[in-house]
Amino acid sequence: MSGTGEMAVPAGPGGEVGTGAASGSSPQPAGDREYLMTTYPDPPVTFVQGVGAYLIDVSGKRYLDFFSGIAVTSLGHAHPAVTEAISAQAARLSHVSNLFGNIQAAPLAAKIDALIGDGTPAGGRVFFANSGAEANECAIKLARKWGGGERWRIVSTTGSFHGRTLATWSATGKSEALEAFRPLPAGFEHIPYDDLEALKAAVPAGDVAGFIVEPIQGENGIVEPSPGYLAAARAVCAEAGVLFISDEVQSGLGRTGRWFGFQRSDLAPDIVTMAKALGNGFPIGACWARAEVADRFVPGDHGSTYGGQPLACAAAMATLKAMEEMNAPEKAASAGARLAEALEGVPGVVRVRGKGLLLGVVLDGDYSATAASLALARGLVVNPVRPETIRLSPPLVITDGEIDSGCEILAAAIGQARSDADGA
Ligand SMILES: Cc1ncc(COP(=O)(O)O)c(C=O)c1O
């Protein structure tokens, strides 16, 4: 990897600063994984430290991070303000349960409400959870409570991803992946993404409580709907008396160039869910709903031992303040434009899709996994989200120099993977 970037990167655990040279493809030690459930494949690399846009593995090798742990560490690794907030709060009070008050949760809820209103209060209320799936569980339960027993079905889209709990997995639009877990909770229907006619046909049934949709489908390979679809879908839902739920777990909090993906369209959702970047790596999720909907929940309807605890809320408040200070949406928009432009002309790249710093690099063949592993060997972390698509979700603090170095590595990796695929 050329250059050291603008951020000082500490030495690896062995004392040396990694060179970024290829370290071969054999997996690195990650402790005795025999005791871990096999829900993920064996990792190719084991990280021990992160600073800004860089990660360092057990051997001391340094990597530029264009993935941010699936769009989570938007402020980069070990952001000083977030680290300081977590340490200070941990030293004072981590947890009390929601049976008592704490002074962190309410201001954070107000901050989220103002971001949803793009600077002015949006008039909603927030439930705090610990993950994206939990935020969506809350949305689904709230929609059913709001539906009062008459409206209970949830419509979602094919190709969507909403989480891995039984309800959010049922909402997720990957029918083949659902098979092993039957019987699934009843009341989930999938319609094609970006298909307004399908939505119009699905919602007038009278028993639909909510339509949950990602403004950009992240796990499906950074797929955007046609311009106008989301606003029209929102209008269809309003007409049919169905709640419009914007799943912003991946697209939210500045990454797409606006605070939330739905703000790119002229619409106001009934419910907005978020997680990932909210704590910059500290686990926290949130479900926002406009007050009239939120108020259907009464004590006992929903809850979480950890949700809204002081430690997580302190991490999230520090994250949002730092994002506001750097004007994260604007930074994502300009950095994303530079990144997309640099990759557009690369041989093998058919197009770059997405918004801001949530991008899908579409290749001219199914070799994204090879390209990603060659990039990793050269010191760049990217994600082969689909066989033909590489997902890029760098931290929003990425510098121009880091973008240029990463693009150089990625272009070389794509070139090599492409010729390997041609020769195969
Ligand atoms: C759009 C979307 N919703 C929900 C989730 C689930 O979030 P979590 O893994 O935090 O449960 C994800 C995770 O990738 C996501 O991308």
Side-chain angles (χ1 to χ4, degrees), residues 55 65-73 77 276 381 393:
L55 283 164
D65 185 2
F66 270 24
F67 188 39
S68 309
I70 324 186
V72 167
T73 49
H77 300 281
K276 290 193 185 287
V381 183
S393 49

Side-chain angles (χ1 to χ4, degrees), residues 80-299:
V82 182
T83 305
E84 161 61 23
I86 293 172
S87 320
Q89 191 59 47
R92 195 176 305 126
L93 182 69
S94 291
H95 183 83
V96 287
S97 92
N98 289 304
L99 301 178
F100 301 96
N102 76 67
I103 58 173
Q104 275 74 28
L108 180 63
K111 169 78 73 193
I112 288 171
D113 186 68
L115 293 179
I116 285 176
D118 213 4
T120 49
R125 305 195 208 289
V126 174
F127 173 84
F128 287 113
N130 310 289
S131 66
E134 284 185 39
N136 284 335
E137 278 281 340
C138 174
I140 292 165
K141 279 181 71 179
L142 181 58
R144 285 194 172 178
K145 187 78 199 297
W146 173 85
E150 278 165 29
R151 291 181 173 271
W152 58 284
R153 289 198 306 118
I154 302 292
V155 174
S156 64
T157 60
T158 49
S160 65
F161 188 87
H162 299 295
R164 290 180 184 275
T165 61
L166 270 180
T168 58
W169 196 230
S170 303
T172 289
K174 297 179 183 201
S175 45
E176 64 298 343
L178 300 178
E179 282 311 315
F181 302 97
R182 294 192 184 280
L184 296 162
F188 291 88
E189 182 188 350
H190 305 108
I191 58 168
Y193 191 57
D194 197 21
D195 186 337
L196 205 56
E197 295 311 312
L199 182 65
K200 282 182 189 164
V203 292
D207 58 357
V208 177
F211 172 55
I212 184 166
V213 65
E214 295 161 86
I216 296 179
Q217 289 187 329
E219 297 308 302
N220 201 24
I222 321 300
V223 175
E224 292 177 86
S226 318
Y229 165 73
L230 289 173
R234 202 284 170 259
V236 168
C237 288
E239 175 81 9
V242 166
L243 298 177
F244 183 92
I245 306 167
S246 192
D247 180 342
E248 301 272 357
V249 170
Q250 193 155 159
S251 58
L253 300 165
R255 180 157 290 281
T256 68
R258 299 293 302 264
W259 282 109
F260 292 96
F262 77 79
Q263 291 165 342
R264 308 191 65 87
S265 307
D266 184 17
L267 69 95
D270 297 299
I271 300 180
V272 179
T273 58
M274 69 205 76
K276 290 193 185 287
L278 185 55
N280 203 52
F282 198 100
I284 179 167
C287 174
W288 172 97
R290 61 183 174 83
E292 190 196 340
V293 176
D295 288 348
R296 299 298 170 101
F297 269 168
V298 295

Side-chain angles (χ1 to χ4, degrees), residues 23 33-34 38 147 159 194 210 240 278 291 320 357 366-367 379 395 399:
S23 65
R33 290 181 60 86
E34 191 188 340
T38 48
D194 197 21
L278 185 55
L320 296 183
L357 283 174
D366 285 356
Y367 56 86
T399 64

